[in-house]
């Protein structure tokens, strides 16, 4: 019987469904997390054969010792996975140390996490990328600006979300960025692209073939959302754009993404980019070889009338998607609110007005609040017009 070890399976709290899906398919399921056993959800307890509490998981030796314990009791482990960006690097190290046969190793993970290294795989797949340079000196950056013009965008070469990002509009901004940036962090600078962010999300099999895909539409600038503490709204579409799907499948093949959940981000340009692409073209942004953040897997489920957790289980156990994909599809949107803001309509009024549409609502964990807000409402509709009305109703401020 195969063994699947989940790292931090209790966070986010919906991720117990990954464990449940694997357990249903006959695996021995094991977990390592920093929460005491009595605190983890009952659904997770029911889906795990054994859970090891590791109070300080930032100390890698503690995780190593936890895996040694499981090896001594259950024998060779076939999979180690967290599906969480925070743990991906340690997941890969554990696979290498204990010779786990499935999953990426550290040298492969570098190409998933470093924005400068990702670009060669996008280009290998025939996808355009923004002109870029690794940040060095003021003179070097001035030469880059001569080529692409202002504004430019600088961000950590290895990082998630919008933390530590800088939009640089002029020479003063450039000097300020070089003065205040963390000297211990390698930065990448790119030409600024005016476009909407769309994603290609799904699950692959062992041949790096996409067995399920969907797409999300995000705000033009997550960095602005974080900086301005504004509300965020994004949605999953009922059908993936054919051009985006073709590009996404090529990228997954180029990266050789095997039996993984993925979240690829692209710009659809609102206007032409100098020496790069025309208005309407798709340009690569970055890769994330794990599910999109927060409770996005649930939003994907509401839009597609399926369980992507079950599809992931199918990928691991059967190397194919065995779910019925013929159920109705919807636009599923996630509208958020921030604490301390006076909204026109109360949370109860939102829930009452959209009682036939809302699929899920609640509070985000504190770690999500900077980028995603404090409260969320997920609802599904049959048209974009309805979903925009929903957004406007939730976000209306006094």
């Amino acid at each position: 019987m195969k063994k699947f070890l989940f790292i931090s399976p209790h966070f986010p709290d919906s991720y117990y469904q990954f464990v449940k899906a694997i357990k249903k398919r006959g695996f021995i399921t094991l977990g390592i997390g920093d929460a005491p056993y009595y605190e983890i959800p009952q659904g997770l307890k029911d889906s795990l054969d054994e859970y090891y509490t590791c109070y300080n998981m930032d100390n890698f030796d503690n995780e190593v010792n936890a895996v040694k314990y499981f090896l001594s009791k259950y024998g060779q482990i076939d999979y180690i996975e967290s599906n969480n960006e925070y743990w991906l690097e340690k997941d890969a190290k554990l696979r290498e140390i204990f010779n786990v046969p499935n999953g990426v190793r550290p040298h492969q993970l570098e190409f998933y996490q470093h924005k400068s290294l990702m670009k060669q795989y996008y280009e290998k797949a025939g996808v355009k990328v923004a002109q870029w340079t690794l940040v060095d000196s003021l003179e070097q950056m001035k030469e880059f600006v001569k080529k692409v013009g202002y504004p430019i965008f600088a961000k950590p070469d290895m990082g998630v979300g919008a933390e530590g990002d800088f939009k640089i509009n002029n020479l003063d901004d450039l000097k300020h960025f070089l003065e205040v940036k963390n000297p211990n962090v390698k930065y990448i600078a790119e030409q600024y692209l005016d476009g909407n962010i769309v994603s290609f999300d799904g699950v692959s099999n062992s041949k790096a073939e996409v067995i399920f895909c969907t797409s999300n539409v995000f705000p033009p600038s997550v960095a602005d959302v974080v900086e301005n503490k504004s509300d965020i709204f994004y949605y999953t579409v009922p059908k993936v754009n054919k051009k985006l799907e073709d590009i996404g499948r090529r990228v997954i093949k180029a990266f050789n993404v095997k039996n993984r959940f993925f979240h690829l981000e692209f710009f659809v340009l609102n206007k032409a980019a100098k020496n790069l692409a025309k208005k309407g073209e798709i340009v690569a942004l970055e890769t994330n070889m794990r599910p999109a953040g927060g409770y996005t897997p649930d939003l994907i489920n509401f839009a597609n009338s399926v369980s992507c957790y079950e599809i992931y289980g199918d990928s691991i156990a059967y190397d194919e998607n065995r779910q019925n994909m013929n159920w109705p599809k919807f636009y599923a949107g996630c509208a958020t609110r921030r604490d301390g803001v006076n909204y026109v309509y109360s949370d109860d009024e939102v829930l009452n007005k959209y009682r036939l549409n809302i699929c899920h609502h609640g509070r985000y964990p504190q770690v999500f609040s900077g980028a995603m807000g404090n409260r969320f409402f997920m609802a599904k509709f049959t048209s974009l017009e309805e979903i925009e009305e929903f957004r406007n109703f939730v976000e209306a401020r006094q």
Side-chain angles (χ1 to χ4, degrees):
M1 187 178 291
K2 289 188 175 181
K3 278 82 68 176
F4 198 119
L5 172 56
F6 288 88
I7 305 297
S8 193
H10 60 291
F11 187 84
D13 54 14
S14 58
Y15 274 28
Y16 81 91
Q17 295 179 79
F18 283 119
V19 188
K20 182 179 179 181
I22 297 297
K23 180 66 175 175
K24 281 172 57 178
R25 286 156 178 79
F27 282 63
I28 291 175
T29 50
L30 309 169
I32 299 173
D34 57 8
Y37 181 75
Y38 65 84
E39 287 186 1
I40 67 174
Q42 187 61 48
L44 178 56
K45 291 177 182 177
D46 294 341
S47 302
L48 284 170
D49 287 282
E50 190 168 355
Y51 177 79
Y52 187 110
T53 302
C54 183
Y55 290 108
N56 182 7
M57 291 183 64
D58 287 327
N59 183 336
F60 186 61
D61 288 341
N62 291 338
E63 287 186 65
V64 169
N65 290 333
V67 178
K68 286 180 179 178
Y69 164 76
F70 282 135
L71 285 170
S72 68
K73 186 170 181 179
Y74 296 95
Q76 177 66 46
I77 293 171
D78 299 282
Y79 294 87
I80 295 179
E81 186 59 74
S82 65
N83 280 324
N84 191 314
E85 185 75 33
Y86 187 81
W87 302 111
L88 291 187
E89 189 173 354
K90 290 185 177 180
D91 294 348
K93 289 180 180 178
L94 290 172
R95 294 187 199 107
E96 186 164 77
I97 291 170
F98 295 105
N99 198 29
V100 174
N102 302 289
V104 297
R105 301 295 177 88
H107 70 279
Q108 298 168 298
L109 192 65
E110 289 184 358
F111 295 92
Y112 290 177
Q113 294 189 309
H114 287 82
K115 297 174 180 65
S116 58
L117 299 178
M118 295 174 188
K119 294 179 183 296
Q120 62 184 277
Y121 284 92
Y122 273 119
E123 291 173 329
K124 180 181 177 182
V127 185
K128 292 181 178 180
V129 300
Q131 298 176 81
W132 63 280
T133 184
L134 290 175
V135 174
D136 184 10
S137 64
L138 177 61
E139 292 306 314
Q140 173 249 354
M141 290 300 294
K142 285 181 179 179
E143 288 300 313
F144 179 67
V145 171
K146 284 182 183 179
K147 184 167 68 170
V148 302
Y150 287 113
I152 59 174
F153 204 75
K155 51 192 175 182
D157 187 38
M158 180 179 174
V160 184
E163 186 175 352
D165 290 1
F166 293 82
K167 184 180 179 183
I168 299 168
N169 296 297
N170 50 50
L171 181 58
D172 287 340
D173 284 353
L174 178 57
K175 290 179 179 178
H176 175 73
F177 157 66
L178 292 172
E179 288 173 0
V180 302
K181 74 176 183 69
N182 187 335
N184 299 315
V185 174
K186 183 165 66 173
Y187 268 77
I188 183 173
E190 300 176 328
Q191 69 182 125
Y192 184 81
L193 300 178
D194 182 348
N196 294 320
I197 299 175
V198 299
S199 68
F200 182 69
D201 300 67
V203 179
S204 64
N205 65 12
S206 66
K207 305 177 187 68
E209 298 166 340
V210 175
I211 61 172
F212 166 72
C213 64
T214 189
S215 178
N216 299 297
V217 179
F218 293 92
S221 176
V222 177
D224 289 344
V225 170
V226 174
E227 182 178 352
N228 301 324
K229 294 291 188 286
S230 54
D231 301 320
I232 189 171
F233 176 80
Y234 67 103
Y235 61 91
T236 306
V237 298
K239 187 176 181 179
V240 184
N241 174 280
K242 288 185 177 180
K243 188 175 292 186
L244 176 64
E245 181 174 351
D246 176 61
I247 288 173
R249 288 178 179 274
R250 296 202 315 263
V251 171
I252 292 301
K253 200 72 174 178
F255 274 91
N256 198 29
V257 181
K258 297 180 179 181
N259 296 113
R260 289 195 70 83
F261 215 113
F262 56 80
H263 170 65
L264 312 180
E265 296 177 353
F266 301 87
F267 283 110
V268 179
L269 297 186
N270 293 322
K271 65 179 184 180
K274 182 179 179 182
N275 300 324
L276 178 66
K278 300 175 183 176
K279 177 181 177 180
E281 283 195 75
I282 296 173
V283 178
L285 176 53
E286 61 184 61
T287 64
N288 298 279
M289 297 311 180
R290 41 77 180 169
Y295 298 119
T296 304
D298 302 296
L299 193 69
I300 289 171
N301 290 345
F302 302 142
N304 290 277
S305 301
V306 295
S307 169
C308 59
Y309 304 105
E310 295 290 329
I311 295 171
Y312 178 79
D314 282 348
S315 171
I316 298 298
Y318 314 125
D319 212 30
E320 63 182 8
N321 181 359
R322 295 190 176 182
Q323 304 304 300
N324 181 357
M325 301 304 297
N326 296 318
W327 296 104
K329 307 289 193 298
F330 302 90
Y331 290 94
C334 180
T336 70
R337 287 181 161 182
R338 294 188 182 274
D339 293 345
V341 175
N342 292 321
Y343 293 94
V344 174
Y345 306 104
S346 69
D347 289 7
D348 286 342
E349 286 175 305
V350 173
L351 294 172
N352 182 58
K353 180 176 176 63
Y354 291 102
R355 61 189 179 277
L356 299 180
N357 305 94
I358 286 178
C359 308
H360 188 26
H361 68 95
R363 290 187 65 85
Y364 281 124
Q366 187 63 35
V367 70
F368 294 155
S369 62
M372 306 189 78
N374 301 103
R375 291 117 63 204
F376 67 90
F377 302 88
M378 291 183 176
K380 62 182 182 181
F381 304 89
T382 57
S383 70
L384 269 177
E385 290 76 19
E386 291 174 300
I387 211 166
E388 282 297 331
E389 289 175 6
F390 166 67
R391 173 189 186 174
N392 293 334
F393 190 87
V394 175
E395 291 186 351
R397 299 188 177 196
Q398 294 179 351

